[in-house]
Amino acid sequence: MNLHLHNTYTRTKELFEPIDPASVRMYVCGPTVYDDIHIGNARPLVVFDVLARLLRHRYGKDAVTYARNITDVDDKIIDRALENGEGIDVLTARTAANFHVAAAEIGCLPPDVEPRATDHIPQMIAMIEDLIAKGNAYAAEGHVLFNVPSMPDYGKLSGRNRDEMIAGARVEVAPYKQDPSDFVLWKPSTDDQPGWDSPWGKGRPGWHLECSAMSKEHLGASFDIHGGGVDLVFPHHENEIAQSRCAHPDESFARYWVHNGYLMSEGEKMSKSLGNFYTVSDLLKEFPGEALRLALLKTHYRQPLDFTKDGVREARQELNRFYRALALDPDGAGDVGAIPTVVLDGLSDDLNTPLALTGVHAAADAVFAAEKEGDAAGLMVAIASLRAAGSLLGLLEHDPHVWFQGDGDEAIDALIEERNAARADKDFARADEIRDELDAQGIVLEDGAGGTTWRREN
């Protein structure tokens, strides 16, 4: 099945046809590193990780370049560093490191390119100079602003009219602006703010400009896919289009615009005051990262998602079932087989992960059926197919025994030893008491000829 993606720019689901099948390029807006990411930030990480995996499967690993930036100069960073009483470099280094840990824990592979804004200031200045020369930008009082009326089709991505755009951008109608909708490309910096020398004085880039310059540097003036959350459609992505197409009028910039939907938390907008604001690092103290990932994938990426802890618990139970199927491999060889058709077709139809997941469940069903029938050869084929299905979704990449037991738990092992001793002394009441105690913690014991083993069920 051919790959189809919903293009925000055209508001239709389109056949994906890369500019060059030997060099498929995707840019996704990454984090502004002033704080740890929350579960809403995790959704696009997982969505576009799956898309990158799918593209590599279809076109070859070496034919895909996935770029995801880090914004390490921004007013939010300046304000948070001041609030914390720490240096900006210290803040951004810590939060970027935490981001990488969180992304890995939820099963996201590193992007092929991870540009940082502060490493691309010369490219940003050059783009601004080009826009001024073409009449699309102007300098005023140490600022440089993009002249929105100079681009006739500005607003096509978001579909907003002029009044909506001005209101939605929350722009400060400064006296130096030629038009209320004009936005900043360069702003002046005080001595205590990060800044770089430029033709317009010491300053720093506007957020929108950063992505235009970084995508151009690493993917070219035209590339295939630009992704991010739907909250970025306006003004961020709208402004990226304006800058990039005016700077390079003979290029298309991004051909397909892909956006994931909003995320709610426990039925409401996330808010610290409501107690439903979940950082990924906090959730990882309670749940395995793979359960968070599956919980995010169970809703189609373009639909609103209501993230709940109960939903993560359900996802974990589903993963327990999948791993029980993988544990039936007597040798633990880890062979990967053919991807089930329903999984590949589901993802090829605008990343329909709910449909793809039905294929993962069907693959697990096939494993249990083969085991029940005593079909050893069929069992191995089914297990290999289950592994392949999971891999394309970034799931089932742990050893089953590690999944159920984690890194081990000395307290649990000690209780099992105490239970074994109680059984040897025929103190069955104490043995049952220990089993019940562990069961209440989600620990299931299995007594066999080789001794007692355990696994986590929640």
Short mmCIF file of all heavy atoms in Angstrom, two decimals, residues 145-168:
data_model
loop_
_atom_site.label_atom_id
_atom_site.label_comp_id
_atom_site.label_asym_id
_atom_site.label_seq_id
_atom_site.Cartn_x
_atom_site.Cartn_y
_atom_site.Cartn_z
N LEU A 145 11.99 43.25 11.33
CA LEU A 145 10.66 42.64 11.28
C LEU A 145 10.34 42.15 9.88
O LEU A 145 10.75 42.76 8.89
CB LEU A 145 9.59 43.64 11.74
CG LEU A 145 9.75 44.10 13.19
CD1 LEU A 145 10.33 45.50 13.24
CD2 LEU A 145 8.43 44.02 13.94
N PHE A 146 9.59 41.07 9.83
CA PHE A 146 9.09 40.58 8.55
C PHE A 146 7.87 41.40 8.17
O PHE A 146 6.97 41.63 8.99
CB PHE A 146 8.71 39.10 8.64
CG PHE A 146 8.29 38.52 7.31
CD1 PHE A 146 9.23 38.02 6.43
CD2 PHE A 146 6.95 38.50 6.94
CE1 PHE A 146 8.84 37.50 5.20
CE2 PHE A 146 6.55 37.99 5.73
CZ PHE A 146 7.51 37.49 4.84
N ASN A 147 7.83 41.82 6.93
CA ASN A 147 6.74 42.63 6.41
C ASN A 147 5.65 41.70 5.87
O ASN A 147 5.70 41.25 4.73
CB ASN A 147 7.26 43.56 5.30
CG ASN A 147 6.18 44.43 4.70
OD1 ASN A 147 5.08 44.54 5.25
ND2 ASN A 147 6.48 45.05 3.58
N VAL A 148 4.68 41.38 6.71
CA VAL A 148 3.65 40.40 6.37
C VAL A 148 2.89 40.77 5.09
O VAL A 148 2.64 39.91 4.24
CB VAL A 148 2.69 40.17 7.55
CG1 VAL A 148 1.47 39.36 7.12
CG2 VAL A 148 3.42 39.42 8.67
N PRO A 149 2.48 42.04 4.88
CA PRO A 149 1.74 42.36 3.65
C PRO A 149 2.54 42.12 2.36
O PRO A 149 1.95 42.07 1.27
CB PRO A 149 1.41 43.85 3.81
CG PRO A 149 1.37 44.06 5.29
CD PRO A 149 2.46 43.19 5.83
N SER A 150 3.85 41.93 2.50
CA SER A 150 4.67 41.68 1.30
C SER A 150 4.48 40.27 0.76
O SER A 150 4.93 39.95 -0.34
CB SER A 150 6.15 41.91 1.60
OG SER A 150 6.68 40.87 2.44
N MET A 151 3.82 39.40 1.53
CA MET A 151 3.55 38.02 1.08
C MET A 151 2.04 37.87 0.88
O MET A 151 1.29 37.73 1.85
CB MET A 151 4.05 37.00 2.09
CG MET A 151 3.90 35.56 1.60
SD MET A 151 4.52 34.35 2.79
CE MET A 151 4.29 32.84 1.84
N PRO A 152 1.57 37.89 -0.35
CA PRO A 152 0.12 37.92 -0.62
C PRO A 152 -0.66 36.74 -0.04
O PRO A 152 -1.81 36.90 0.39
CB PRO A 152 0.05 37.93 -2.15
CG PRO A 152 1.36 38.51 -2.59
CD PRO A 152 2.37 38.02 -1.59
N ASP A 153 -0.06 35.54 -0.02
CA ASP A 153 -0.83 34.37 0.46
C ASP A 153 -0.48 33.99 1.89
O ASP A 153 -0.70 32.86 2.31
CB ASP A 153 -0.64 33.18 -0.48
CG ASP A 153 0.81 32.70 -0.56
OD1 ASP A 153 1.70 33.43 -0.07
OD2 ASP A 153 1.04 31.60 -1.09
N TYR A 154 0.03 34.95 2.66
CA TYR A 154 0.29 34.70 4.08
C TYR A 154 -1.03 34.31 4.77
O TYR A 154 -2.05 34.97 4.59
CB TYR A 154 0.86 35.95 4.74
CG TYR A 154 1.18 35.77 6.21
CD1 TYR A 154 2.38 35.23 6.62
CD2 TYR A 154 0.26 36.14 7.19
CE1 TYR A 154 2.69 35.06 7.97
CE2 TYR A 154 0.54 35.97 8.54
CZ TYR A 154 1.76 35.43 8.92
OH TYR A 154 2.04 35.27 10.26
N GLY A 155 -0.99 33.23 5.53
CA GLY A 155 -2.19 32.75 6.22
C GLY A 155 -2.80 31.52 5.60
O GLY A 155 -3.78 30.98 6.13
N LYS A 156 -2.24 31.03 4.50
CA LYS A 156 -2.85 29.88 3.82
C LYS A 156 -2.78 28.61 4.66
O LYS A 156 -3.72 27.80 4.65
CB LYS A 156 -2.17 29.65 2.47
CG LYS A 156 -2.83 28.54 1.66
CD LYS A 156 -2.22 28.43 0.26
CE LYS A 156 -2.89 27.29 -0.52
NZ LYS A 156 -2.35 27.16 -1.89
N LEU A 157 -1.69 28.42 5.39
CA LEU A 157 -1.56 27.20 6.20
C LEU A 157 -2.64 27.13 7.27
O LEU A 157 -3.31 26.11 7.44
CB LEU A 157 -0.17 27.14 6.85
CG LEU A 157 0.07 25.93 7.75
CD1 LEU A 157 0.18 24.65 6.93
CD2 LEU A 157 1.34 26.13 8.59
N SER A 158 -2.83 28.21 8.01
CA SER A 158 -3.78 28.22 9.11
C SER A 158 -5.20 28.53 8.68
O SER A 158 -6.16 28.26 9.40
CB SER A 158 -3.35 29.25 10.17
OG SER A 158 -3.31 30.55 9.61
N GLY A 159 -5.36 29.13 7.50
CA GLY A 159 -6.70 29.48 7.02
C GLY A 159 -7.33 30.62 7.77
O GLY A 159 -8.55 30.77 7.77
N ARG A 160 -6.51 31.45 8.41
CA ARG A 160 -7.05 32.57 9.18
C ARG A 160 -7.13 33.83 8.33
O ARG A 160 -6.29 34.04 7.45
CB ARG A 160 -6.17 32.85 10.40
CG ARG A 160 -6.05 31.70 11.36
CD ARG A 160 -5.32 32.12 12.61
NE ARG A 160 -5.20 31.00 13.55
CZ ARG A 160 -5.03 31.15 14.85
NH1 ARG A 160 -4.98 32.36 15.39
NH2 ARG A 160 -4.91 30.10 15.63
N ASN A 161 -8.13 34.65 8.62
CA ASN A 161 -8.18 35.95 7.95
C ASN A 161 -7.28 36.92 8.71
O ASN A 161 -6.74 36.62 9.78
CB ASN A 161 -9.62 36.48 7.86
CG ASN A 161 -10.25 36.71 9.22
OD1 ASN A 161 -9.62 37.18 10.16
ND2 ASN A 161 -11.54 36.38 9.32
N ARG A 162 -7.15 38.11 8.17
CA ARG A 162 -6.18 39.06 8.71
C ARG A 162 -6.48 39.42 10.17
O ARG A 162 -5.57 39.44 11.01
CB ARG A 162 -6.18 40.32 7.84
CG ARG A 162 -5.19 41.36 8.29
CD ARG A 162 -5.11 42.50 7.28
NE ARG A 162 -4.26 43.55 7.78
CZ ARG A 162 -2.94 43.50 7.79
NH1 ARG A 162 -2.32 42.43 7.35
NH2 ARG A 162 -2.22 44.51 8.26
N ASP A 163 -7.71 39.68 10.53
CA ASP A 163 -8.04 40.06 11.90
C ASP A 163 -7.73 38.92 12.87
O ASP A 163 -7.22 39.14 13.97
CB ASP A 163 -9.53 40.44 12.02
CG ASP A 163 -9.84 41.75 11.29
OD1 ASP A 163 -8.89 42.53 11.05
OD2 ASP A 163 -11.03 41.97 10.98
N GLU A 164 -8.04 37.70 12.46
CA GLU A 164 -7.76 36.55 13.32
C GLU A 164 -6.27 36.37 13.52
O GLU A 164 -5.81 36.03 14.61
CB GLU A 164 -8.34 35.28 12.69
CG GLU A 164 -9.85 35.19 12.73
CD GLU A 164 -10.35 33.97 11.97
OE1 GLU A 164 -9.72 33.57 10.98
OE2 GLU A 164 -11.38 33.44 12.38
N MET A 165 -5.50 36.62 12.47
CA MET A 165 -4.06 36.44 12.58
C MET A 165 -3.45 37.45 13.53
O MET A 165 -2.59 37.12 14.34
CB MET A 165 -3.42 36.55 11.20
CG MET A 165 -3.69 35.35 10.30
SD MET A 165 -2.73 35.39 8.79
CE MET A 165 -3.49 36.75 7.91
N ILE A 166 -3.89 38.67 13.46
CA ILE A 166 -3.34 39.70 14.35
C ILE A 166 -3.69 39.38 15.80
O ILE A 166 -2.85 39.45 16.70
CB ILE A 166 -3.86 41.09 13.95
CG1 ILE A 166 -3.30 41.48 12.57
CG2 ILE A 166 -3.47 42.13 14.99
CD1 ILE A 166 -3.89 42.77 12.02
N ALA A 167 -4.94 38.98 16.04
CA ALA A 167 -5.36 38.65 17.40
C ALA A 167 -4.67 37.38 17.89
O ALA A 167 -4.22 37.30 19.03
CB ALA A 167 -6.87 38.49 17.45
N GLY A 168 -4.59 36.37 17.03
CA GLY A 168 -4.03 35.09 17.42
C GLY A 168 -2.54 35.15 17.70
O GLY A 168 -2.02 34.39 18.50
#
